[in-house]
Amino acid sequence: MAMTLRLTEEENRRLAELAAAEGRSKQEVVRSALAERWARQQKEQQLDDVMQRILPRYRGLLDKLGPS
């Protein structure tokens, strides 16, 4: 699916510099950034899911230990 990405002149300059430094197209750089951000968000969500399950089990102990 096609998409138009509107960037400021500064953002476009930075993207062009990054693409040139990495020897990739601007499109490849944007796609890579999207994939990396998506993967990071998925890991954060997994961690949040685990914490939601685990914290209630250890709430009493954590309260006894006090703030870190």
Side-chain angles (χ1 to χ4, degrees), residues 11 26 46 60 68:
E11 291 167 335
K26 292 194 289 185
Q46 288 175 344
S68 57

Side-chain angles (χ1 to χ4, degrees), residues 3-28:
M3 178 182 151
T4 300
L5 179 63
R6 290 180 174 80
L7 302 173
T8 65
E9 288 182 27
E10 179 67 15
E11 291 167 335
N12 188 54
R13 182 189 62 76
R14 290 177 181 175
L15 180 57
E17 286 180 10
L18 186 57
E22 295 180 359
R24 300 190 299 167
S25 70
K26 292 194 289 185
Q27 179 177 325
E28 288 173 318

Side-chain angles (χ1 to χ4, degrees), residues 20-39:
E22 295 180 359
R24 300 190 299 167
S25 70
K26 292 194 289 185
Q27 179 177 325
E28 288 173 318
V29 172
V30 170
R31 283 180 156 171
S32 176
L34 173 61
E36 289 172 13
R37 179 62 186 109
W38 183 85

